[in-house]
């Protein structure tokens, strides 16, 4: 459903991503992992139509993305900045539904259903600043879910919450998205998370980012935080992905020059 | 406390003859005059005329300066094109424009409003521009990512985000407008207005009435400010709580 063809973007002279080719199938959960500064956010913004890539194309259901597509939602890492503090949780979740031409009543009902789905039905009237970080990120996940996108983009969605909340949210997203048959592209720097959440893990090199590995995660579902992580297959995959990420960011200094050292 | 102390000292100085009461009336005399003015029909008519000019000046200011500030804050080229004009107009003392306003507006009410609007526009305009520029890009990007166009982003994110700054500008403008309305009344005269009353009292050498009327203007300013501060705290609870680090 999503196809990236030679996707390239430069900010002035800075070359952020370089000829990324990637195909994501309907219903797949694909994790993109890479060292910091590998252009992950640039990649996400290009797919969402928030920036116009300088080269290549993004195809969604076969059509090139020129402005923000209708059937796409984004969950950003920084929930405190992406939720609107002057709106209650319910109003935050309901706001994007205006695009769907829904009545006020229908929007409130859909928002309430999504909040209930993420376990925040009782907190619908609260404001973001009355909530913990984990709750706020649940609200932004609910906002994306209520919109019923066919593609959900997530930019380090669990990067700013504590470890327990992170595990909870990972399972929540997997459960809810499987239930609605959503396709997910999740961007993370966390190798462990990418293997746990993904059906596939795509590894990017450091800038200019390009695809250096594309692994199928063949682990039994539904995933379980303890049992999945102790499987031999999980441990091996995590090591493989880790080596790829590490390999591309290792440096060797030679005559003051920096060279990429590939271990694969 | 400090103000009360000063008033007591002035009262004592007047009663003991250190200050000539013909030159500066006793504090108690002024307070008694002020109390009388509060129920004096003539003074109230003057007061209402000033308040009317002040109120409509503020309404016009908001109606002009907020949309203009939004435009200048959102569309950078417009801002850079008009910057020289703004930098030229802004330092002009509004009081210096009173003679021009007298020529331009036959109706004294319109004349006073025009001067007040000119002076009050700047705090609202500047605060709106900066409030709009300060809007978190991620907040705008979030709405864009759901496919909303620039118009919706301005109305649903930029305006509410900037609203606390705009409100502060309006509060400053309210004080400035009071000053300008009364100044225009004092300078240009007319039939009604607190400034006209103060002028008349002055020409009759009634310093006690002048000070009492001036005190009412000051009290009105304090009351308006307190009211607007309270309204801001209430309406922008989300803003203040966030700044206070409540999470």
């Amino acid at each position: 459903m999503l196809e990236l063809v030679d996707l390239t973007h430069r900010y002035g002279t800075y070359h952020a991503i370089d000829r990324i080719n990637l195909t994501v199938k309907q219903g797949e959960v694909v994790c993109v992992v890479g060292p910091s500064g590998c252009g992950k956010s640039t990649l996400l913004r290009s797919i969402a139509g928030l920036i116009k890539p300088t080269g290549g194309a993004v195809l969604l259901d076969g059509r090139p993305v020129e402005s923000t597509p209708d059937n796409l939602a984004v969950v950003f890492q920084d929930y405190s900045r992406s939720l609107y503090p002057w709106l209650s949780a319910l109003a935050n979740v309901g706001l994007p539904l205006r695009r769907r031409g829904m009545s006020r009543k229908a929007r409130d009902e859909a928002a309430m259903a999504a909040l209930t789905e993420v376990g925040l039905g009782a907190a619908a009237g609260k404001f973001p600043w009355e909530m913990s970080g984990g709750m706020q990120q649940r609200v932004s996940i609910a906002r994306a879910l209520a919109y019923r996108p066919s593609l959900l983009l997530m930019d380090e969605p669990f990067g700013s919450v504590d470890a327990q909340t992170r595990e909870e949210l990972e399972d929540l997203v997997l459960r809810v998205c499987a239930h609605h048959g959503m396709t997910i592209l999740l961007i993370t720097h966390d190798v462990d998370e990418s293997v746990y959440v993904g059906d596939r893990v795509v590894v990017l090199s450091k800038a200019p980012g390009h695809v250096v590995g594309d692994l199928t995660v063949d682990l039994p579902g539904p995933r379980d935080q303890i049992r999945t992580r102790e499987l031999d297959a999980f441990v091996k995959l995590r090591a493989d992905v880790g080596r790829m990420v590490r390999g591309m960011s290792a440096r060797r200094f030679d005559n003051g020059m920096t060279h990429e050292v590939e271990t694969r | 406390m400090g103000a009360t102390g000063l008033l007591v000292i002035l009262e004592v100085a007047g009663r003991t003859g250190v200050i000539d009461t013909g030159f500066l009336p006793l504090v108690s005399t002024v307070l008694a005059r002020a109390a009388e003015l509060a129920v004096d029909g003539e003074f109230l008519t003057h007061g209402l005329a000033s308040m009317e000019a002040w109120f409509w000046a503020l309404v016009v200011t908001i109606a002009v300066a907020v949309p203009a500030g939004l435009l200048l804050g959102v569309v950078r080229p417009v801002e850079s094109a008009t910057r020289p004009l703004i930098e030229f107009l802004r330092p002009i003392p509004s009081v210096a424009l009173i003679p021009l306003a007298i020529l331009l507006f036959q109706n004294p009410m319109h004349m006073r409003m025009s001067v007040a609007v000119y002076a009050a526009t700047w705090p609202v305009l500047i605060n709106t521009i900066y409030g709009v520029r300060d809007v978190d890009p991620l907040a705008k990007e979030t709405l864009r990512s759901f496919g909303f166009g620039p118009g919706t982003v301005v109305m649903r994110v930029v305006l509410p985000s900037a609203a606390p700054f705009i409100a502060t500008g309006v509060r400053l403008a309210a004080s400035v407008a009071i000053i300008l309305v009364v100044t225009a009344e004092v300078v240009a005269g007319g039939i009604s207005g607190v400034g006209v009353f103060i002028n008349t009292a002055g020409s009759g050498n009634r310093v006690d009435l002048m000070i009492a009327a001036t005190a009412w203007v000051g009290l009105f300013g304090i009351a308006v400010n307190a009211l607007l501060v309270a309204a801001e705290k209430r309406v922008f609870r989300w803003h203040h709580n966030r700044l206070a680090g409540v999470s």
Side-chain angles (χ1 to χ4, degrees):
Chain A
M1 69 163 314
L2 173 71
E3 205 177 336
L4 308 181
V5 186
D6 285 335
L7 189 66
T8 301
H9 190 71
R10 293 167 190 271
Y11 298 97
T13 56
Y14 179 70
H15 199 165
I17 52 176
D18 183 41
R19 280 168 290 138
I20 292 185
N21 287 286
L22 181 66
T23 305
V24 179
K25 290 199 292 284
Q26 177 72 41
E28 239 182 343
V29 178
V30 175
C31 290
V32 175
V33 63
S36 57
C38 69
K40 293 183 292 243
S41 294
T42 305
L43 174 67
L44 180 130
R45 282 173 165 74
S46 306
I47 298 172
L50 293 171
I51 53 173
K52 199 171 160 42
T54 48
V58 177
L59 301 171
L60 196 59
D61 295 325
R63 283 189 305 273
V65 168
E66 264 147 24
S67 57
T68 310
D70 281 348
N71 51 350
L72 175 150
V74 185
V75 174
F76 292 97
Q77 169 176 9
D78 217 331
Y79 45 78
S80 61
R81 291 167 56 205
S82 107
L83 291 178
Y84 302 115
W86 55 89
L87 297 178
S88 67
L90 190 76
N92 262 291
V93 174
L95 178 56
L97 300 178
R98 288 175 178 275
R99 278 273 292 166
R100 297 277 188 249
M102 294 161 78
S103 70
R104 169 83 197 255
K105 191 163 169 285
R107 289 202 305 266
D108 282 354
E109 281 169 9
M112 195 63 209
L115 281 169
T116 309
E117 215 166 359
V118 301
L120 284 181
K126 284 199 173 186
F127 287 85
W129 38 269
E130 297 173 318
M131 298 179 161
S132 69
M135 285 168 85
Q136 289 182 43
Q137 192 58 306
R138 274 166 198 265
V139 174
S140 39
I141 292 169
R143 178 168 63 183
L145 293 176
Y147 194 65
R148 294 266 176 279
S150 40
L151 177 62
L152 178 59
L153 299 177
M154 305 182 98
D155 188 4
E156 302 264 7
F158 316 125
S160 305
V161 293
D162 62 76
Q164 260 93 47
T165 309
R166 182 187 188 110
E167 292 188 351
E168 265 173 50
L169 291 179
E170 286 168 0
D171 290 339
L172 171 81
V173 165
L174 283 181
R175 194 175 67 235
V176 173
C177 291
H179 182 242
H180 295 294
M182 280 178 201
T183 309
I184 306 181
L185 188 80
L186 186 146
I187 284 172
T188 178
H189 65 271
D190 186 323
V191 171
D192 203 88
E193 178 171 280
S194 70
V195 176
Y196 179 78
V197 175
D199 295 324
R200 250 170 81 202
V201 176
V202 173
V203 183
L204 292 189
S205 67
K206 65 192 279 288
H210 55 272
V211 177
V212 292
D214 188 339
L215 294 87
T216 302
V217 180
D218 194 13
L219 296 172
R223 308 275 162 92
D224 177 275
Q225 292 288 354
I226 309 286
R227 270 179 286 127
T228 301
R229 287 180 202 271
E230 66 188 3
L231 293 173
D232 289 342
F234 180 88
V235 176
K236 180 168 184 318
L237 268 168
R238 186 176 56 187
D240 285 349
V241 174
R243 269 188 211 101
M244 275 192 248
V245 173
R246 176 92 56 90
M248 292 313 296
S249 57
R251 291 170 169 191
R252 183 163 58 93
F253 292 97
D254 185 7
N255 304 329
M257 300 280 284
T258 309
H259 296 281
E260 298 294 342
V261 183
E262 300 204 24
T263 53
R264 269 173 61 107
Chain B
M1 266 327 273
T4 319
L6 183 68
L7 292 180
V8 169
I9 291 170
L10 281 174
E11 176 77 19
V12 171
R15 285 191 185 274
T16 53
V18 175
I19 296 177
D20 178 7
T21 48
F23 171 69
L24 188 70
L26 288 175
V27 173
S28 52
T29 315
V30 171
L31 287 177
R33 286 298 98 75
E36 286 162 28
L37 286 182
V39 290
D40 178 350
E42 196 201 332
F43 178 71
L44 291 180
T45 312
H46 286 294
L48 280 177
S50 298
M51 278 188 223
E52 203 185 331
W54 167 79
F55 177 78
W56 288 111
L58 200 58
V59 169
V60 173
T61 300
I62 295 169
V64 171
V66 172
L70 268 180
L71 180 70
L72 295 184
V74 173
V75 191
R76 288 293 176 112
V78 176
E79 198 269 341
S80 38
T82 51
R83 191 182 300 156
L85 181 68
I86 291 178
E87 294 302 321
F88 168 71
L89 291 176
R90 199 151 70 100
I92 297 177
S94 349
V95 178
L97 292 173
I98 293 177
L100 180 65
I102 293 173
L103 287 178
L104 289 178
F105 297 94
Q106 308 303 317
N107 183 329
M109 180 72 112
H110 295 167
M111 187 279 286
R112 294 163 191 174
M113 279 173 58
S114 68
V115 187
V117 167
Y118 184 86
T121 291
W122 305 114
V124 180
L125 185 73
I126 304 292
N127 268 34
T128 306
I129 293 175
Y130 283 99
V132 164
R133 281 214 198 127
D134 234 30
V135 176
D136 192 324
L138 189 65
K140 291 189 270 187
E141 215 167 41
T142 301
L143 211 58
R144 279 178 58 209
S145 74
F146 285 107
F148 289 96
T152 314
V153 172
V154 168
M155 292 314 289
R156 301 243 167 240
V157 178
V158 175
L159 199 56
S161 269
F165 298 93
I166 299 173
T168 306
V170 169
R171 178 157 50 85
L172 299 174
S175 303
V176 172
I178 294 174
I179 297 171
L180 265 297
V181 165
V182 176
T183 307
E185 287 166 354
V186 169
V187 173
I191 348 167
S192 60
V194 174
V196 176
F197 179 90
I198 292 173
N199 257 353
T200 315
S203 54
N205 209 16
R206 290 294 304 274
V207 182
D208 53 343
L209 282 180
M210 285 173 79
I211 299 178
T214 312
W216 276 117
V217 174
L219 277 178
F220 179 70
I222 291 174
V224 164
N225 192 65
L227 216 68
L228 291 177
V229 168
E232 280 171 47
K233 277 223 177 93
R234 217 182 140 76
V235 177
F236 302 118
R237 207 159 43 103
W238 57 268
H239 182 71
H240 296 280
N241 283 342
R242 202 159 58 141
L243 292 184
V246 177
S247 59

